[in-house]
mmCIF file of all heavy atoms in Angstrom:
data_model
loop_
_atom_site.group_PDB
_atom_site.id
_atom_site.type_symbol
_atom_site.label_atom_id
_atom_site.label_comp_id
_atom_site.label_asym_id
_atom_site.label_seq_id
_atom_site.Cartn_x
_atom_site.Cartn_y
_atom_site.Cartn_z
ATOM 1 N N PRO G 26 2.597 -5.012 -6.764
ATOM 2 C CA PRO G 26 3.510 -5.745 -5.899
ATOM 3 C C PRO G 26 4.924 -5.692 -6.480
ATOM 4 O O PRO G 26 5.096 -5.862 -7.697
ATOM 5 C CB PRO G 26 2.966 -7.187 -5.897
ATOM 6 C CG PRO G 26 1.779 -7.210 -6.791
ATOM 7 C CD PRO G 26 1.467 -5.822 -7.231
ATOM 8 N N LYS G 30 7.153 -0.180 -2.620
ATOM 9 C CA LYS G 30 6.354 0.586 -1.649
ATOM 10 C C LYS G 30 6.960 0.501 -0.242
ATOM 11 O O LYS G 30 7.080 1.507 0.440
ATOM 12 C CB LYS G 30 4.898 0.080 -1.613
ATOM 13 C CG LYS G 30 4.155 0.209 -2.935
ATOM 14 C CD LYS G 30 2.675 -0.117 -2.801
ATOM 15 C CE LYS G 30 2.378 -1.579 -2.513
ATOM 16 N NZ LYS G 30 2.725 -2.517 -3.582
ATOM 17 N N SER G 47 1.025 -0.676 6.985
ATOM 18 C CA SER G 47 1.033 -1.581 5.837
ATOM 19 C C SER G 47 0.006 -2.670 6.124
ATOM 20 O O SER G 47 0.153 -3.425 7.095
ATOM 21 C CB SER G 47 2.428 -2.201 5.668
ATOM 22 O OG SER G 47 2.326 -3.465 5.031
ATOM 23 N N THR G 48 -1.045 -2.716 5.301
ATOM 24 C CA THR G 48 -2.088 -3.725 5.551
ATOM 25 C C THR G 48 -1.524 -5.142 5.364
ATOM 26 O O THR G 48 -1.910 -6.058 6.086
ATOM 27 C CB THR G 48 -3.314 -3.488 4.639
ATOM 28 O OG1 THR G 48 -2.870 -3.121 3.333
ATOM 29 C CG2 THR G 48 -4.192 -2.389 5.190
ATOM 30 N N GLY G 49 -0.587 -5.300 4.434
ATOM 31 C CA GLY G 49 0.053 -6.616 4.250
ATOM 32 C C GLY G 49 0.779 -7.049 5.518
ATOM 33 O O GLY G 49 0.650 -8.194 5.965
ATOM 34 N N ASP G 50 1.530 -6.123 6.130
ATOM 35 C CA ASP G 50 2.253 -6.444 7.378
ATOM 36 C C ASP G 50 1.267 -6.785 8.501
ATOM 37 O O ASP G 50 1.493 -7.726 9.264
ATOM 38 C CB ASP G 50 3.125 -5.263 7.831
ATOM 39 C CG ASP G 50 4.374 -5.094 6.972
ATOM 40 O OD1 ASP G 50 4.673 -5.995 6.157
ATOM 41 O OD2 ASP G 50 5.057 -4.054 7.122
ATOM 42 N N LEU G 52 -1.680 -8.038 8.192
ATOM 43 C CA LEU G 52 -2.270 -9.363 7.935
ATOM 44 C C LEU G 52 -1.267 -10.476 8.248
ATOM 45 O O LEU G 52 -1.624 -11.490 8.858
ATOM 46 C CB LEU G 52 -2.729 -9.467 6.471
ATOM 47 C CG LEU G 52 -3.901 -8.552 6.072
ATOM 48 C CD1 LEU G 52 -4.080 -8.511 4.559
ATOM 49 C CD2 LEU G 52 -5.200 -9.018 6.737
ATOM 50 N N ARG G 53 0.014 -10.261 7.865
ATOM 51 C CA ARG G 53 1.034 -11.286 8.167
ATOM 52 C C ARG G 53 1.206 -11.441 9.676
ATOM 53 O O ARG G 53 1.452 -12.539 10.170
ATOM 54 C CB ARG G 53 2.361 -10.949 7.468
ATOM 55 C CG ARG G 53 2.345 -11.299 5.970
ATOM 56 C CD ARG G 53 3.682 -11.061 5.295
ATOM 57 N NE ARG G 53 3.951 -9.650 5.098
ATOM 58 C CZ ARG G 53 3.473 -8.917 4.087
ATOM 59 N NH1 ARG G 53 2.725 -9.464 3.168
ATOM 60 N NH2 ARG G 53 3.754 -7.636 3.989
ATOM 61 N N ALA G 66 -7.472 -14.503 6.296
ATOM 62 C CA ALA G 66 -6.640 -13.733 5.369
ATOM 63 C C ALA G 66 -5.719 -14.665 4.575
ATOM 64 O O ALA G 66 -5.536 -14.488 3.365
ATOM 65 C CB ALA G 66 -5.810 -12.710 6.144
ATOM 66 N N HIS G 69 -6.922 -16.166 1.301
ATOM 67 C CA HIS G 69 -6.929 -15.239 0.159
ATOM 68 C C HIS G 69 -5.502 -14.937 -0.296
ATOM 69 O O HIS G 69 -5.205 -14.937 -1.482
ATOM 70 C CB HIS G 69 -7.628 -13.931 0.540
ATOM 71 C CG HIS G 69 -9.080 -14.107 0.846
ATOM 72 N ND1 HIS G 69 -10.034 -14.214 -0.143
ATOM 73 C CD2 HIS G 69 -9.743 -14.200 2.009
ATOM 74 C CE1 HIS G 69 -11.228 -14.365 0.413
ATOM 75 N NE2 HIS G 69 -11.071 -14.360 1.720
ATOM 76 N N MET G 70 -4.633 -14.672 0.668
ATOM 77 C CA MET G 70 -3.267 -14.235 0.332
ATOM 78 C C MET G 70 -2.499 -15.321 -0.417
ATOM 79 O O MET G 70 -1.753 -15.035 -1.345
ATOM 80 C CB MET G 70 -2.526 -13.816 1.606
ATOM 81 C CG MET G 70 -3.078 -12.527 2.188
ATOM 82 S SD MET G 70 -2.565 -12.236 3.880
ATOM 83 C CE MET G 70 -0.946 -11.523 3.652
ATOM 84 N N ASP G 71 -2.693 -16.577 -0.017
ATOM 85 C CA ASP G 71 -1.960 -17.669 -0.678
ATOM 86 C C ASP G 71 -2.395 -17.843 -2.128
ATOM 87 O O ASP G 71 -1.667 -18.412 -2.937
ATOM 88 C CB ASP G 71 -2.127 -18.982 0.094
ATOM 89 C CG ASP G 71 -1.206 -19.025 1.308
ATOM 90 O OD1 ASP G 71 -0.330 -18.134 1.417
ATOM 91 O OD2 ASP G 71 -1.362 -19.933 2.145
ATOM 92 N N GLY G 73 -3.196 -15.178 -3.923
ATOM 93 C CA GLY G 73 -2.898 -13.895 -4.577
ATOM 94 C C GLY G 73 -4.115 -12.999 -4.681
ATOM 95 O O GLY G 73 -4.104 -11.981 -5.369
ATOM 96 N N GLU G 74 -5.203 -13.393 -3.977
ATOM 97 C CA GLU G 74 -6.439 -12.591 -4.020
ATOM 98 C C GLU G 74 -6.442 -11.537 -2.929
ATOM 99 O O GLU G 74 -5.700 -11.649 -1.951
ATOM 100 C CB GLU G 74 -7.658 -13.487 -3.737
ATOM 101 C CG GLU G 74 -7.909 -14.539 -4.756
ATOM 102 C CD GLU G 74 -8.948 -15.567 -4.268
ATOM 103 O OE1 GLU G 74 -9.467 -15.440 -3.130
ATOM 104 O OE2 GLU G 74 -9.207 -16.497 -5.039
ATOM 105 N N LEU G 75 -7.337 -10.570 -3.082
ATOM 106 C CA LEU G 75 -7.480 -9.559 -2.041
ATOM 107 C C LEU G 75 -8.285 -10.114 -0.867
ATOM 108 O O LEU G 75 -9.195 -10.929 -1.061
ATOM 109 C CB LEU G 75 -8.187 -8.306 -2.582
ATOM 110 C CG LEU G 75 -7.445 -7.526 -3.668
ATOM 111 C CD1 LEU G 75 -8.239 -6.282 -4.050
ATOM 112 C CD2 LEU G 75 -6.034 -7.141 -3.223
ATOM 113 N N VAL G 76 -7.948 -9.646 0.306
ATOM 114 C CA VAL G 76 -8.723 -9.946 1.515
ATOM 115 C C VAL G 76 -9.956 -9.032 1.475
ATOM 116 O O VAL G 76 -9.864 -7.889 0.999
ATOM 117 C CB VAL G 76 -7.823 -9.679 2.755
ATOM 118 C CG1 VAL G 76 -8.597 -9.810 4.054
ATOM 119 C CG2 VAL G 76 -6.613 -10.628 2.727
ATOM 120 N N PRO G 77 -11.136 -9.513 1.928
ATOM 121 C CA PRO G 77 -12.358 -8.707 1.793
ATOM 122 C C PRO G 77 -12.231 -7.284 2.360
ATOM 123 O O PRO G 77 -11.599 -7.076 3.398
ATOM 124 C CB PRO G 77 -13.401 -9.518 2.570
ATOM 125 C CG PRO G 77 -12.900 -10.927 2.498
ATOM 126 C CD PRO G 77 -11.400 -10.844 2.501
ATOM 127 N N ASP G 78 -12.864 -6.362 1.652
ATOM 128 C CA ASP G 78 -12.793 -4.935 2.013
ATOM 129 C C ASP G 78 -13.141 -4.667 3.475
ATOM 130 O O ASP G 78 -12.463 -3.889 4.142
ATOM 131 C CB ASP G 78 -13.769 -4.118 1.129
ATOM 132 C CG ASP G 78 -13.230 -3.905 -0.268
ATOM 133 O OD1 ASP G 78 -11.996 -3.970 -0.452
ATOM 134 O OD2 ASP G 78 -14.046 -3.675 -1.187
ATOM 135 N N ILE G 81 -10.298 -5.286 5.851
ATOM 136 C CA ILE G 81 -9.208 -4.320 5.691
ATOM 137 C C ILE G 81 -9.618 -2.953 6.251
ATOM 138 O O ILE G 81 -8.857 -2.312 6.979
ATOM 139 C CB ILE G 81 -8.848 -4.183 4.182
ATOM 140 C CG1 ILE G 81 -8.421 -5.541 3.606
ATOM 141 C CG2 ILE G 81 -7.805 -3.104 3.963
ATOM 142 C CD1 ILE G 81 -7.086 -6.039 4.067
ATOM 143 N N ASP G 102 0.375 2.161 3.127
ATOM 144 C CA ASP G 102 1.216 1.326 2.256
ATOM 145 C C ASP G 102 0.447 0.041 1.926
ATOM 146 O O ASP G 102 0.117 -0.734 2.825
ATOM 147 C CB ASP G 102 2.515 1.072 3.064
ATOM 148 C CG ASP G 102 3.437 0.025 2.479
ATOM 149 O OD1 ASP G 102 3.123 -0.542 1.429
ATOM 150 O OD2 ASP G 102 4.488 -0.220 3.108
ATOM 151 N N GLY G 103 0.137 -0.129 0.642
ATOM 152 C CA GLY G 103 -0.632 -1.318 0.247
ATOM 153 C C GLY G 103 -2.123 -1.144 0.510
ATOM 154 O O GLY G 103 -2.890 -2.112 0.453
ATOM 155 N N PHE G 104 -2.539 0.038 0.778
ATOM 156 C CA PHE G 104 -3.940 0.390 1.050
ATOM 157 C C PHE G 104 -4.155 1.811 0.572
ATOM 158 O O PHE G 104 -3.297 2.660 0.855
ATOM 159 C CB PHE G 104 -4.238 0.294 2.553
ATOM 160 C CG PHE G 104 -5.607 0.817 2.923
ATOM 161 C CD1 PHE G 104 -6.715 -0.010 2.899
ATOM 162 C CD2 PHE G 104 -5.774 2.158 3.271
ATOM 163 C CE1 PHE G 104 -7.972 0.491 3.224
ATOM 164 C CE2 PHE G 104 -7.033 2.653 3.595
ATOM 165 C CZ PHE G 104 -8.125 1.817 3.572
ATOM 166 N N PRO G 105 -5.237 2.182 -0.079
ATOM 167 C CA PRO G 105 -6.344 1.322 -0.518
ATOM 168 C C PRO G 105 -5.999 0.526 -1.783
ATOM 169 O O PRO G 105 -5.234 0.974 -2.618
ATOM 170 C CB PRO G 105 -7.453 2.334 -0.806
ATOM 171 C CG PRO G 105 -6.766 3.629 -1.093
ATOM 172 C CD PRO G 105 -5.476 3.618 -0.357
ATOM 173 N N ARG G 106 -6.606 -0.647 -1.878
ATOM 174 C CA ARG G 106 -6.383 -1.510 -3.037
ATOM 175 C C ARG G 106 -7.652 -1.709 -3.856
ATOM 176 O O ARG G 106 -7.627 -2.425 -4.861
ATOM 177 C CB ARG G 106 -5.907 -2.878 -2.554
ATOM 178 C CG ARG G 106 -4.391 -3.094 -2.662
ATOM 179 C CD ARG G 106 -4.119 -4.429 -2.022
ATOM 180 N NE ARG G 106 -2.929 -5.096 -2.457
ATOM 181 C CZ ARG G 106 -1.790 -5.107 -1.760
ATOM 182 N NH1 ARG G 106 -1.639 -4.410 -0.677
ATOM 183 N NH2 ARG G 106 -0.771 -5.832 -2.186
ATOM 184 N N THR G 107 -8.762 -1.139 -3.417
ATOM 185 C CA THR G 107 -10.005 -1.153 -4.211
ATOM 186 C C THR G 107 -10.629 0.242 -4.082
ATOM 187 O O THR G 107 -10.306 0.975 -3.138
ATOM 188 C CB THR G 107 -11.037 -2.180 -3.667
ATOM 189 O OG1 THR G 107 -11.414 -1.785 -2.339
ATOM 190 C CG2 THR G 107 -10.504 -3.604 -3.654
ATOM 191 N N GLN G 110 -12.303 0.704 -0.824
ATOM 192 C CA GLN G 110 -11.376 1.048 0.266
ATOM 193 C C GLN G 110 -10.989 2.528 0.207
ATOM 194 O O GLN G 110 -10.875 3.198 1.231
ATOM 195 C CB GLN G 110 -10.112 0.180 0.197
ATOM 196 C CG GLN G 110 -10.357 -1.292 0.512
ATOM 197 C CD GLN G 110 -9.075 -2.128 0.408
ATOM 198 O OE1 GLN G 110 -7.960 -1.613 0.412
ATOM 199 N NE2 GLN G 110 -9.250 -3.444 0.309
ATOM 200 N N ARG G 145 13.049 -11.579 -4.344
ATOM 201 C CA ARG G 145 12.651 -11.361 -2.948
ATOM 202 C C ARG G 145 12.213 -12.669 -2.298
ATOM 203 O O ARG G 145 12.481 -12.918 -1.119
ATOM 204 C CB ARG G 145 11.513 -10.326 -2.893
ATOM 205 C CG ARG G 145 11.103 -9.983 -1.481
ATOM 206 C CD ARG G 145 10.090 -8.861 -1.438
ATOM 207 N NE ARG G 145 8.736 -9.335 -1.676
ATOM 208 C CZ ARG G 145 7.661 -8.541 -1.728
ATOM 209 N NH1 ARG G 145 7.790 -7.244 -1.600
ATOM 210 N NH2 ARG G 145 6.463 -9.030 -1.926
ATOM 211 N N ARG G 151 8.000 -15.326 2.327
ATOM 212 C CA ARG G 151 6.583 -15.084 2.045
ATOM 213 C C ARG G 151 6.056 -16.151 1.099
ATOM 214 O O ARG G 151 6.598 -16.354 0.010
ATOM 215 C CB ARG G 151 6.403 -13.685 1.413
ATOM 216 C CG ARG G 151 6.387 -12.591 2.439
ATOM 217 C CD ARG G 151 6.213 -11.235 1.817
ATOM 218 N NE ARG G 151 5.004 -11.112 0.987
ATOM 219 C CZ ARG G 151 4.507 -9.945 0.601
ATOM 220 N NH1 ARG G 151 5.100 -8.825 0.974
ATOM 221 N NH2 ARG G 151 3.428 -9.900 -0.147
ATOM 222 N N ASP G 153 3.583 -16.062 -0.694
ATOM 223 C CA ASP G 153 2.978 -15.540 -1.934
ATOM 224 C C ASP G 153 4.029 -15.029 -2.933
ATOM 225 O O ASP G 153 3.672 -14.567 -4.007
ATOM 226 C CB ASP G 153 1.926 -14.459 -1.636
ATOM 227 C CG ASP G 153 2.457 -13.265 -0.837
ATOM 228 O OD1 ASP G 153 3.608 -13.332 -0.358
ATOM 229 O OD2 ASP G 153 1.720 -12.269 -0.711
ATOM 230 N N ARG G 162 -1.339 -12.012 -8.369
ATOM 231 C CA ARG G 162 -1.319 -10.713 -7.677
ATOM 232 C C ARG G 162 -1.245 -9.573 -8.694
ATOM 233 O O ARG G 162 -1.884 -8.532 -8.514
ATOM 234 C CB ARG G 162 -0.127 -10.652 -6.711
ATOM 235 C CG ARG G 162 -0.351 -11.503 -5.467
ATOM 236 C CD ARG G 162 0.941 -11.883 -4.784
ATOM 237 N NE ARG G 162 1.619 -10.776 -4.173
ATOM 238 C CZ ARG G 162 2.919 -10.772 -3.865
ATOM 239 N NH1 ARG G 162 3.667 -11.839 -4.109
ATOM 240 N NH2 ARG G 162 3.467 -9.733 -3.311
HETATM 241 P P1 AMP T 30 1.407 -6.768 0.423
HETATM 242 O O1 AMP T 30 2.273 -7.087 1.586
HETATM 243 O O2 AMP T 30 0.937 -5.344 0.413
HETATM 244 O O3 AMP T 30 2.035 -7.184 -0.886
HETATM 245 O O4 AMP T 30 0.079 -7.643 0.582
HETATM 246 C C1 AMP T 30 0.121 -9.060 0.578
HETATM 247 C C2 AMP T 30 -1.283 -9.620 0.414
HETATM 248 O O5 AMP T 30 -2.091 -9.206 1.512
HETATM 249 C C3 AMP T 30 -2.032 -9.166 -0.822
HETATM 250 O O6 AMP T 30 -1.710 -9.939 -1.969
HETATM 251 C C4 AMP T 30 -3.480 -9.354 -0.383
HETATM 252 O O7 AMP T 30 -3.856 -10.713 -0.402
HETATM 253 C C5 AMP T 30 -3.428 -8.929 1.082
HETATM 254 N N1 AMP T 30 -3.659 -7.473 1.227
HETATM 255 C C6 AMP T 30 -2.769 -6.536 1.656
HETATM 256 N N2 AMP T 30 -3.307 -5.311 1.655
HETATM 257 C C7 AMP T 30 -4.586 -5.471 1.217
HETATM 258 C C8 AMP T 30 -5.662 -4.573 0.964
HETATM 259 N N3 AMP T 30 -5.540 -3.254 1.152
HETATM 260 N N4 AMP T 30 -6.825 -5.095 0.498
HETATM 261 C C9 AMP T 30 -6.990 -6.417 0.304
HETATM 262 N N5 AMP T 30 -6.012 -7.318 0.496
HETATM 263 C C10 AMP T 30 -4.812 -6.852 0.954
#
Side-chain angles (χ1 to χ4, degrees):
K30 299 188 291 294
S47 153
T48 40
D50 286 350
L52 293 168
R53 282 184 286 278
H69 295 280
M70 290 164 82
D71 281 350
E74 295 168 0
L75 295 183
V76 173
D78 283 337
I81 301 289
D102 169 0
F104 172 88
R106 260 175 156 101
T107 63
Q110 292 179 17
R145 184 174 82 182
R151 279 180 56 164
D153 57 351
R162 286 158 69 200

